[in-house]
Amino acid sequence: MAFREYRIGCMMFGLALSTSMFVTIFLPGLDISGMSSTKLALEKQLTYGWESGFNYYDPFLRGKDKPIKVTLTKDPKTGAPMDKTNAYVFPAGTHFPDGLTHDNILGDKVQKASDEIGKIGEANEAQGGVFLVQTTADDTPYIEFATATRGWTTDAVLKAADNKSLAGSGKTLFIREGCWWCHTLLPEETQDWQTFGRPPLVGDFNGESPTTFGSDRKAPDLLHVGSRNSSREWLTMHFFNPRLVQPHSIMPRYDYLWGDKDKSGNPIDLKAWDREFMAYAKGESIYPPEVPIPADDSEARMLIDFVLNLK
Amino acid sequence: MLKYLFAKEEDIPQGSTALFFGVSSICWFIIGTGLGSFNAAKLAFPDWYHGLYALQFGHMRQVHVHAVIFGWIAMAFAASMMYITPALGNTKLWSEKLGIWNCLLYNVGLCFALALLWSGMTSGREYSDHIWPVDLYIAFVMVVPWSLNVWMTVLNRRTQGIYTTNWFFAACMFMTIIVFLVGNLPEFFHLTGLNEAYMTWWFAHNILGLLITPVAAAITYYIVPKITGNPLYSHRVGHLHFWSIVVFYSTPAAHHLMSAPLPEWLKSFASVEGVLILVPAVAYVCNILLTMQGKWSMFVTNIEIKFTITGVLLAIPLNMQGGFQQTRAINWYIHGTGWIVAHAHLALLGFSTFAEAAAVYYGLQVLLRRKLYSASLANFHFWMVLIGFSLYWVSMTIAGLIQGAAKIYEVPYVDVVIAEHPYMIVRWLGGTMVFFGNCIWLYNMVMTARAGSIVPVGRQPAEVAYTR
Ligand code: HEM
Ligand code: HEM
């Protein structure tokens, strides 16, 4: 550093860079972290669990370490009928989303209600448990730890459930399979209201990771796809081969997510299926081959659950 | 290469590091553009092959992006730095041995990182797709040793002052390390929600703005004066360029998320700062073009100048596009469409690739002390890349405008897909031309090493006549 100017230059450089980082990281970070969770953010955290991208507990992104979302129409403890309720079951050992383990994620009011009314402080990961999303009289959403407040155990809830959704595991696959390179999860404020539905609000993301907004849209936005397209049959065919239901689609086939066996345990022969399909596509046969129904623990099932859950 | 790994520092010929990095970068360029062309084919004809599920678009897209950014662009940067920094400091590279290890571990690490991405192990964050252990490897095994070599060479220089190119290099390596470590904080510390989304784009924006843009510019600050023999038009304008990059380019990260529910002040701030990036952009382009005074014939006759100046000229539409597209008035129309993909390739395949290709062309000739094997093949390469890129840019821009129109008129999405189909095919053809041109380039370079005419000591390759 032969010249004094270089020393001054280095200092100015450090100053400029740190000021820039102060303004573009620290200040926005403060502002964003001060946002209170909406009800949607609570539901999303409880559906998607701790982390959907690469993590220590699910390094190969197989959809492990995820809660199960269930619908109840009767009280799992007493068996008494009740209004349709969504419950989020964390089997023992499943990792909790940040909102349950860190005090600064939910926002002050939501955190207070969840602690005092919802008793989330009593939950721990090793034992797991069942959670609900509720709203107080003054419209503050909060998380209720139903295992403490109502004595609902994970086993009882899973047994009483009408419908089990693996949407949390599905989000992991959504990331692994790169759906977000074509689909966005972010209707734009300016013009997407009509076609793709309500754009998200600031508080809709607390505790979610990764958010996968997507930056290139080559396909419809999916944030509310479950509201406009809720047919499991259509989705099954569409994922197996989008050209079955939409001849002009450029979406890739996801038939390999079906695994080796279909729902009734019959082996799936993708090569044979492809041959028949190509014959159909060329007009040599009138009907396309039948699409197998995905097995209950197949990746296809998880992904379809995830899509249907995007209301 | 392997035989130098355990050799004594004195026994390693000077310039080996730059040579290995240069050759690797060309190979990665071929791989990266090949993957790009493959992806483009998938988007045009999703069913053109069946059964190879490993080659799914959703897995391959990020492999393309990281192969070209970390493989081609970054390695071409490393190659340039490893020969330009010592040349400008009138000294030798601080440690060739470190450089050679660096190059080896860089290649090995990159192969491994891409294989992981390909298998679907990803953090799910665009441009920081790598999982955090790989991020740490990239930062500490790939980038830190490289930076050390650059910094120490600058410190050990035997000139009094530091030329523009060298302070750009030294500062950009520093900023890259900071950006890499800070930008990946969401992964290291599991940040969530909008913080995570914003930091993702903070990283992406700054890696483009504080590594790729300024280093590509710094390279041209060396190549143009060196080959034309004209001194740089203005050192002061170079200062303006540098300081405005540091101040303005490091701030508008939020302009990538204009349609997300970020705080409004942040979006407005980003929008204003983004327009201010035009200051370094204009300063830079003027500086280089004015350096060319009196030597414009070289734009036609000299292959390195042809590449460099084309890159600089492409920076003009690039920055104009950038400055306008991030204002709210325009962004809503083109955000998330093919327009942005066209802009991204104008930046990386247009501006920066042309600048780096010139540096690699020139560097390999200097290091091998051999004149380029064939001028015709080099010209052929140039035109393949330029025409291929232009087809890509034009077709994706049109596709983007169609998508934008479809956004406001709310046509069913599949009609957009149908309307874009012809442009997808053109993009694929254009990209394949680039890929093909690059294969020719590798051949030309191999032949240069084998059969290029020798450049006498103390002479420039440009001064020696072509034999072919
Ligand atoms: C005045 C200068 C520039 C401005 C204001 C600017 C602005 C922008 C904006 C606002 C976007 C995001 C658009 C959207 O998604 O809605 C974008 C995307 C992009 N820019 Fe620039 N840009 C500039 C120059 C450059 C340069 C010099 C480079 C690289 C060398 C570059 C590389 C990219 C890339 C790769 C993307 C795509 C990001 C993605 O994947 O979505 N830009 N630019
Ligand atoms: C060195 C040259 C190249 C560089 C640096 C480069 C870089 C990139 C980048 C940064 C993206 C992400 C764009 C975004 O998100 O907006 C991308 C996407 C892509 N690139 Fe390239 N690219 C290069 C050459 C090519 C070539 C030759 C092709 C062949 C056609 C190609 C095809 C693609 C495709 C198909 C995508 C996906 C675009 C999409 O998602 O719509 N690229 N590339």
Side-chain angles (χ1 to χ4, degrees):
Chain A
M1 296 277 160
F3 295 131
R4 186 171 48 108
E5 283 80 353
Y6 287 145
R7 219 165 295 137
I8 298 176
C10 285
M11 282 187 302
M12 295 304 288
F13 173 65
L15 182 72
L17 199 62
S18 23
T19 313
S20 154
M21 291 194 352
F22 178 77
V23 178
T24 58
I25 297 182
F26 186 72
L27 294 183
L30 271 190
D31 196 347
I32 294 171
S33 307
M35 307 287 177
S36 200
S37 295
T38 57
K39 191 165 180 209
L40 194 65
L42 302 185
E43 288 167 355
K44 279 206 280 187
Q45 285 187 51
L46 293 176
T47 313
Y48 300 148
W50 183 61
E51 161 73 43
S52 309
F54 168 83
N55 66 76
Y56 194 65
Y57 311 109
D58 185 16
F60 301 107
L61 279 80
R62 295 266 160 75
K64 296 211 177 70
D65 192 38
K66 290 293 162 207
I68 302 162
K69 179 177 174 180
V70 301
T71 325
L72 298 168
T73 45
K74 55 179 197 278
D75 189 309
K77 198 165 170 214
T78 60
M82 62 182 216
D83 288 348
K84 208 168 163 193
T85 313
N86 288 329
Y88 305 86
V89 181
F90 284 69
T94 311
H95 289 84
F96 286 169
D98 274 8
L100 290 175
T101 48
H102 293 65
D103 289 344
N104 51 357
I105 301 285
L106 300 180
D108 294 342
K109 259 173 96 182
V110 182
Q111 181 72 34
K112 193 153 165 267
S114 308
D115 276 334
E116 286 171 7
I117 318 174
K119 304 235 173 19
I120 59 170
E122 295 175 22
N124 80 44
E125 282 171 354
Q127 273 151 25
V130 181
F131 296 87
L132 304 173
V133 175
Q134 305 282 22
T135 347
T136 62
D138 69 345
D139 242 15
T140 310
Y142 68 94
I143 300 177
E144 176 180 340
F145 182 40
T147 310
T149 53
R150 307 177 186 214
W152 292 2
T153 59
T154 46
D155 292 341
V157 172
L158 285 179
K159 209 185 274 151
D162 293 341
N163 175 30
K164 291 185 204 131
S165 163
L166 303 180
S169 307
K171 174 151 187 201
T172 308
L173 295 179
F174 184 81
I175 288 164
R176 187 187 80 191
E177 294 303 326
C179 313
W180 49 290
W181 295 119
C182 294
H183 294 279
T184 47
L185 286 180
L186 185 72
E188 293 168 30
E189 283 161 9
T190 37
Q191 71 287 324
D192 283 345
W193 289 77
Q194 293 284 320
T195 354
F196 298 133
R198 176 179 77 78
L201 303 173
V202 215
D204 280 355
F205 303 100
N206 293 26
E208 187 183 1
S209 171
T211 36
T212 43
F213 291 150
S215 71
D216 291 337
R217 193 189 275 170
K218 292 180 273 300
D221 190 278
L222 291 184
L223 193 64
H224 303 294
V225 63
S227 316
R228 60 173 186 267
N229 186 349
S230 59
S231 155
R232 196 174 272 275
E233 290 68 41
W234 189 90
L235 284 173
T236 309
M237 284 168 72
H238 188 260
F239 278 128
F240 202 79
N241 186 336
R243 259 74 60 201
L244 275 176
V245 284
Q246 180 46 269
H248 299 289
S249 181
I250 55 165
M251 180 158 145
R253 305 175 185 195
Y254 288 98
D255 41 7
Y256 58 98
L257 297 180
W258 261 245
D260 309 330
K261 298 230 162 69
D262 70 4
K263 192 170 168 115
S264 20
N266 303 324
I268 300 178
D269 184 354
L270 292 180
K271 292 238 163 57
W273 195 93
D274 193 52
R275 266 194 308 278
E276 284 180 50
F277 174 74
M278 289 319 287
Y280 162 72
K282 290 198 198 98
E284 288 161 14
S285 71
I286 305 166
Y287 298 108
E290 197 77 29
V291 171
I293 299 170
D296 282 342
D297 57 353
S298 65
E299 297 184 328
R301 147 91 198 274
M302 299 172 187
L303 202 57
I304 293 172
D305 281 356
F306 169 76
V307 171
L308 287 173
N309 190 50
L310 291 167
K311 292 287 184 210
Chain B
M1 173 176 188
L2 293 176
K3 73 173 187 228
Y4 294 133
L5 286 177
F6 298 102
K8 284 211 207 74
E9 176 72 28
E10 310 82 78
D11 297 341
I12 308 176
Q14 279 178 39
S16 310
T17 309
L19 193 62
F20 291 135
F21 265 118
V23 175
S24 317
S25 76
I26 302 182
C27 296
W28 281 108
F29 196 10
I30 294 181
I31 299 174
T33 45
L35 289 169
S37 152
F38 182 82
N39 287 351
K42 287 238 69 177
L43 288 178
F45 308 104
D47 264 344
W48 69 271
Y49 65 81
H50 323 282
L52 275 171
Y53 299 107
L55 304 179
Q56 203 53 289
F57 177 78
H59 288 223
M60 297 289 277
R61 187 191 185 277
Q62 60 274 47
V63 180
H64 159 66
V65 171
H66 288 272
V68 285
I69 292 186
F70 284 100
W72 158 241
I73 296 188
M75 283 213 190
F77 282 169
S80 320
M81 290 192 192
M82 298 298 171
Y83 79 87
I84 295 179
T85 319
L88 285 172
N90 195 11
T91 177
K92 55 188 182 34
L93 191 67
W94 181 59
S95 166
E96 289 284 350
K97 194 162 174 176
L98 179 67
I100 285 177
W101 274 97
N102 190 191
C103 182
L104 178 75
L105 293 179
Y106 198 116
N107 277 304
V108 172
L110 189 59
C111 291
F112 183 65
L114 293 184
L116 288 185
L117 275 189
W118 186 5
S119 74
M121 286 171 74
T122 162
S123 69
R125 302 165 61 237
E126 190 168 358
Y127 292 105
S128 31
D129 310 75
H130 294 295
I131 62 179
W132 60 262
V134 171
D135 286 332
L136 290 176
Y137 181 93
I138 295 179
F140 291 107
V141 183
M142 284 156 65
V143 182
V144 168
W146 162 11
S147 317
L148 257 180
N149 241 337
V150 173
W151 295 333
M152 295 311 288
T153 308
V154 171
L155 285 181
N156 291 341
R157 72 190 182 279
R158 287 188 292 184
T159 52
Q160 209 178 15
I162 305 176
Y163 179 66
T164 324
T165 301
N166 270 4
W167 30 267
F168 261 102
F169 282 171
C172 292
M173 290 320 291
F174 179 74
M175 294 192 283
T176 304
I177 296 176
I178 299 279
V179 168
F180 214 90
L181 294 179
V182 174
N184 279 304
L185 285 182
E187 277 167 61
F188 301 147
F189 296 108
H190 196 251
L191 303 187
T192 56
L194 277 181
N195 275 323
E196 183 266 348
Y198 175 60
M199 287 301 285
T200 300
W201 284 103
W202 188 87
F203 171 86
H205 175 82
N206 285 331
I207 214 77
L208 295 168
L210 302 181
L211 174 70
I212 298 181
T213 315
V215 175
I219 288 177
T220 61
Y221 277 147
Y222 174 75
I223 295 288
V224 174
K226 181 81 189 174
I227 295 181
T228 59
N230 282 350
L232 184 64
Y233 174 72
S234 161
H235 212 67
R236 285 231 171 118
V237 175
H239 274 282
L240 175 66
H241 176 200
F242 177 79
W243 290 103
S244 50
I245 284 262
V246 175
V247 175
F248 299 140
Y249 220 137
S250 63
T251 42
H255 69 197
H256 290 268
L257 287 171
M258 293 299 275
S259 56
L262 285 178
E264 287 299 315
W265 68 265
L266 185 60
K267 289 198 251 179
S268 303
F269 172 74
S271 216
V272 174
E273 293 286 308
V275 176
L276 289 174
I277 305 181
L278 286 173
V279 174
V282 173
Y284 161 65
V285 170
C286 295
N287 210 356
I288 292 286
L289 294 186
L290 287 170
T291 305
M292 284 295 288
Q293 274 168 343
K295 293 287 169 63
W296 277 98
S297 61
M298 293 187 95
F299 184 33
V300 182
T301 56
N302 182 291
I303 189 70
E304 291 89 24
I305 292 292
K306 197 184 272 183
F307 266 104
T308 311
I309 297 299
T310 310
V312 175
L313 292 175
L314 287 175
I316 301 173
L318 164 67
N319 290 296
M320 289 299 157
Q321 207 182 26
F324 287 103
Q325 80 190 10
Q326 47 106 49
T327 59
R328 285 175 198 241
I330 297 181
N331 188 267
W332 69 273
Y333 193 77
I334 44 92
H335 172 70
T337 65
W339 175 286
I340 304 298
V341 177
H343 169 79
H345 285 82
L346 178 57
L348 301 178
L349 176 57
F351 161 59
S352 107
T353 288
F354 277 82
E356 288 132 28
V360 175
Y361 261 113
Y362 178 73
L364 290 185
Q365 293 179 64
V366 171
L367 296 165
L368 294 165
R369 301 229 58 83
R370 279 176 190 272
K371 174 86 179 166
L372 196 58
Y373 172 68
S374 161
S376 332
L377 286 183
N379 275 324
F380 181 71
H381 175 219
F382 174 82
W383 287 108
M384 286 298 268
V385 178
L386 187 60
I387 297 174
F389 154 73
S390 309
L391 287 177
Y392 190 121
W393 188 81
V394 171
S395 62
M396 284 318 283
T397 301
I398 299 177
L401 292 173
I402 295 176
Q403 271 175 293
K407 275 209 278 201
I408 23 178
Y409 296 116
E410 292 169 3
V411 300
Y413 207 92
V414 65
D415 291 340
V416 183
V417 177
I418 298 172
E420 279 184 318
H421 184 62
Y423 304 100
M424 292 288 174
I425 300 177
V426 175
R427 180 242 301 257
W428 170 53
L429 293 176
T432 310
M433 284 175 73
V434 177
F435 167 67
F436 188 63
N438 289 338
C439 299
I440 303 288
W441 186 23
L442 184 64
Y443 170 76
N444 200 2
M445 277 312 177
V446 170
M447 290 312 287
T448 303
R450 294 228 176 115
S453 35
I454 308 246
V455 179
V457 179
R459 285 291 165 147
Q460 284 279 327
E463 295 164 357
V464 180
Y466 274 107
T467 43
R468 252 165 237 95

